[in-house]
Amino acid sequence: MTCRPGTVVAVDVGGSGLRLQTYAAGPGPVLTAPGARVGAAGIDVAALVADARSLLAHAARSTRDEMAPDGSAGATTAPEVVVWSMRGLLFLADRAAVLAAVVAGLGARRTVVVSDAVANLVGATGRLGAGAVVAAGTGAVAFGTDFDEQWRRVDGWGHVLGDAGSGAALGMAGLRSALRAHDGLADGSRALLRVATELLGPPEGWPRLVMTAPDTPERLASVAPLVTAAAETDAVARGLCAQAGAHLATSLLRAADGLDQPILSATGGLLASPVISQALDARLGAAGARRTRAAGGALDGAVHLGRHLRDTGTLPQHPAYLLVV
């Protein structure tokens, strides 16, 4: 693989696959490798590194096409920096093993393995400074740091034990309300029962779908858009969305607690719901805080971290969240 001098390679690994972007004089296109290689059963690191190598080879071919026919323009054989941002780094993988696999597989001069919570924060705030972010996707996790003494994660415990305010949690709450309506209980939602049945089939099949399937969090999260849509006209759905927003704000505030003038931000598709977004902001406002619009996501954060290491020669490190070799 040939890369331009000073090339940063940013990789973001999530539940739905892997995204890769190069940065030399400017950002390259975002390349993706679909497929869930991160799940409750563990992480197939070797397969992920192979995916990244394939994408990087594709990016390198594009780079050579832009060079002179003799491959000049200062081509080099290795990226300057690779930043590997990964969901599940804390609980589903051996951090040292991941670092060793990325170093061996991608061969950069410097390699960073970072939790996606940190990459999300850097991407959202656009800097390495005091800040906190809550990410609300299929799961939910908040993270706050000053990149010095305080590194605090809140929630991110998975759909069974936590992830309050996440897509999976909202979908589960929606299904519970639908089933209460199915059972004739007054606090259920007939609107959610109708739309969930259209999506998942008869309620009698729901327990098998969401209790035994390996992709249970994703199945639950697929119900969340039904809840946010129903919130426009259904009081039960609206209450569930408001509760989700409040949960996200609570996690964000705790992650930021103790930081000096932190930038607060939030990311994730659930924030497209006005009810969730407004409830989050109302809870922050009641605590005397406000959030700043997110500048980017985890892949942007990985690029920023890589450029910082390339240009300054150093990055703050933490044994659980950010490793550099």
Side-chain angles (χ1 to χ4, degrees), residues 96-163:
V98 173
L99 183 61
V102 175
V103 169
L106 298 181
R109 289 182 170 82
R110 304 292 303 275
T111 299
V112 181
V113 168
V114 60
S115 166
D116 66 339
V118 178
N120 264 317
L121 173 60
V122 176
T125 61
R127 65 171 196 168
L128 273 71
V133 65
V134 62
T138 297
V141 62
F143 185 78
T145 183
D146 56 5
F147 290 93
D148 184 16
E149 296 183 354
Q150 180 168 314
W151 303 70
R152 178 181 295 135
R153 181 190 58 83
V154 178
D155 208 345
W157 295 113
H159 73 285
V160 175
L161 299 177
D163 285 359

Side-chain angles (χ1 to χ4, degrees), residues 43-51 101:
I43 297 176
D44 190 343
V45 177
L48 287 167
V49 172
D51 286 344

Side-chain angles (χ1 to χ4, degrees), residues 57-111:
H58 176 79
R61 285 193 297 270
S62 298
T63 297
R64 285 198 302 272
D65 290 343
E66 297 171 2
M67 293 179 179
D70 63 356
S72 59
T76 183
T77 58
E80 185 72 22
V81 177
V82 166
V83 178
W84 186 275
S85 164
M86 190 172 203
R87 172 191 168 198
L89 185 63
L90 292 179
F91 306 120
L92 301 178
D94 181 311
R95 290 180 287 278
V98 173
L99 183 61
V102 175
V103 169
L106 298 181
R109 289 182 170 82
R110 304 292 303 275
T111 299

Side-chain angles (χ1 to χ4, degrees), residues 221-256:
S222 73
V223 180
L226 305 181
V227 183
T228 58
E232 296 181 8
T233 56
D234 183 75
V236 172
R238 187 161 52 253
L240 296 178
C241 289
Q243 184 180 54
H247 282 317
L248 295 172
T250 297
S251 295
L252 178 59
L253 288 168
R254 175 54 186 154

Side-chain angles (χ1 to χ4, degrees), residues 269-288:
L270 281 184
L271 298 176
S273 162
V275 178
I276 293 176
S277 184
Q278 290 164 12
L280 189 156
D281 288 333
R283 173 72 179 87
L284 293 179

